[in-house]
Amino acid sequence: MRYIRGIENYNCPSHTAITLGKFDGLHRGHQKLIEQVKKHADGQIKSVVFSFDMFPFFKELGKQNYILMTSEEKCLRLEKQVDYLVECPFVEKIHTMDAETFIKEVLMKKFHAKYVVVGTDFRFGYQKKGDIYLLEKYQQICGYKLIVIEKEMYGEREISSTFVKEEIHKGNMELAEKLLGYPYTILGTVEHGEKLGRKLGFPTMNVIPAEEKLLSPNGVYVSSVMIDGKEYRGISNVGCKPTVSDKKEKLVETFLFDYDEDAYGKKIQIRLYSFVREEKKFSSVSALQKQMRSDIKMGEVFFKK
């Protein structure tokens, strides 16, 4: 798969099967769209995921808009699934472009679309005036086939990025996993810390997440980590380590049950499965050590089940 940032950098002359949206989290609803794109792609028709990147837009407005998935995490999730991931920053040129121009200039001239796959509520163009009915109107004029996919449901509620965010805000990682179709994952590089975990007898890996990444509530979670293509089980603390540090910077600190190698500088994927307890400041280091032993036992029981 090729990752391209910005429409202007996409120059493939081939026809495409393309799906469009924000694709934050690549949840089960998004996966239905991508499966349709893959179904209609072949050697001549390339599969494309066109993703609007809203973070720079909201940042410019001074609004917080934490996301479920960074660009790098999106690339990892889509690797070997599609031919292209084209990420489009939601800049003025894009959000002021009228819907008809978007169809003609982007879908047709740029992507040579043969199949356009979207959800029932897909909106695009200036003031969101474009919808599936406009795409349907233009399919004969422009020569593409429109495929509209019904929403994926969980019970009586549509699966959406908003739904997933709500559950992560609650620390409900089990339901988040059901909505996503995979455990909520944090990608980052293992940083050098003060090595306090090693001194306590529990060496940990410290990762500082991307500033735009949505984090679950501060606390301890059952987790696993992918390192060099292999998965290791453990527990992770999301937060600021109040017992041993006065810093307010949030990080993810992970202790693995069966890993004793040097991981500094390595890119790892942390998967959060289940909330164990809230983060708290202990009265002493020995009290923290005692609690960590208890947390580890809970993690081991979780994986045995």
Side-chain angles (χ1 to χ4, degrees):
M1 184 200 76
R2 286 192 61 192
Y3 169 73
I4 295 174
R5 185 165 180 84
I7 301 173
E8 67 279 3
N9 296 315
Y10 178 87
N11 296 300
C12 178
S14 301
H15 290 301
T16 64
I18 184 170
T19 183
L20 306 96
K22 298 186 187 75
F23 294 103
D24 188 19
L26 290 174
H27 55 62
R28 285 169 49 205
H30 296 144
Q31 291 164 32
K32 286 177 67 175
L33 301 175
I34 293 165
E35 286 304 314
Q36 280 294 317
V37 163
K38 290 162 62 177
K39 180 180 175 182
H40 290 92
D42 56 29
Q44 303 300 314
I45 298 176
K46 302 299 181 183
S47 54
V48 176
V49 172
F50 182 97
S51 175
F52 293 102
D53 180 6
M54 305 301 294
F55 185 76
F57 174 72
F58 284 108
K59 190 173 183 179
E60 190 175 316
L61 294 176
K63 295 181 179 179
Q64 281 191 335
N65 181 50
Y66 292 112
I67 57 177
L68 296 168
M69 183 174 271
T70 65
S71 300
E72 192 173 4
E73 289 167 343
K74 202 171 287 184
C75 285
L76 279 173
R77 181 60 51 180
L78 289 175
E79 188 63 43
K80 297 182 180 178
Q81 290 200 53
V82 295
D83 295 310
Y84 291 92
L85 166 60
V86 179
E87 199 163 53
C88 176
F90 199 63
V91 293
E92 185 176 0
K93 181 181 178 181
I94 295 299
H95 70 75
T96 58
M97 184 183 291
D98 66 73
E100 289 85 353
T101 300
F102 186 87
I103 292 172
K104 295 172 185 176
E105 297 297 322
V106 177
L107 287 181
M108 299 318 304
K109 285 189 180 179
K110 199 67 175 175
F111 289 98
H112 317 292
K114 279 295 180 185
Y115 298 93
V116 177
V117 182
V118 294
T120 54
D121 63 348
F122 178 65
R123 304 300 292 262
F124 65 101
Y126 184 58
Q127 296 181 337
K128 297 183 178 181
K129 290 184 177 179
D131 55 18
I132 59 173
Y133 303 106
L134 186 65
L135 286 170
E136 187 176 38
K137 173 185 172 182
Y138 271 88
Q139 68 177 334
Q140 288 187 336
I141 301 169
C142 296
Y144 60 78
K145 178 178 173 57
L146 175 66
I147 301 169
V148 180
I149 303 299
E150 293 294 326
K151 290 288 189 177
E152 184 75 2
M153 306 294 291
Y154 182 81
E156 296 183 357
R157 185 172 177 182
E158 294 176 354
I159 294 178
S160 66
S161 300
T162 299
F163 190 3
V164 178
K165 286 180 179 180
E166 287 173 6
E167 298 310 314
I168 290 172
H169 273 301
K170 298 174 188 173
N172 190 350
M173 310 315 293
E174 290 88 348
L175 181 50
E177 180 175 351
K178 290 177 182 177
L179 302 176
L180 289 167
Y182 61 90
Y184 191 57
T185 303
I186 299 164
L187 178 69
T189 301
V190 179
E191 308 272 351
H192 281 279
E194 297 174 14
K195 298 181 173 58
L196 291 172
R198 190 172 299 279
K199 293 175 184 176
L200 295 174
F202 305 101
T204 58
M205 298 177 185
N206 294 343
V207 166
I208 300 173
E211 65 166 321
E212 67 270 30
K213 178 75 175 182
L214 177 68
L215 294 179
S216 51
N218 288 7
V220 175
Y221 296 80
V222 178
S223 65
S224 71
V225 173
M226 287 295 294
I227 309 174
D228 298 329
K230 187 175 178 181
E231 185 175 26
Y232 300 88
R233 295 171 171 179
I235 56 169
S236 294
N237 184 79
V238 176
C240 308
K241 306 188 292 185
T243 305
V244 295
S245 176
D246 294 325
K247 295 178 182 178
K248 299 302 179 185
E249 183 180 41
K250 289 186 73 168
L251 53 80
V252 183
E253 186 181 26
T254 302
F255 169 76
L256 299 178
F257 303 152
D258 53 357
Y259 186 87
D260 57 5
E261 298 177 38
D262 183 353
Y264 291 120
K266 290 188 176 183
K267 190 82 73 171
I268 64 173
Q269 299 175 61
I270 304 165
R271 299 167 175 170
L272 302 181
Y273 293 101
S274 183
F275 179 77
V276 175
R277 63 170 175 85
E278 293 180 354
E279 184 179 56
K280 60 178 289 188
K281 184 170 184 176
F282 291 90
S283 58
S284 65
V285 170
S286 60
L288 171 60
Q289 289 174 309
K290 182 179 179 181
Q291 182 61 58
M292 287 183 71
R293 283 191 285 269
S294 176
D295 296 339
I296 290 167
K297 285 182 180 178
M298 289 190 69
E300 290 171 338
V301 169
F302 176 90
F303 285 116
K304 284 178 181 177
K305 291 180 180 179

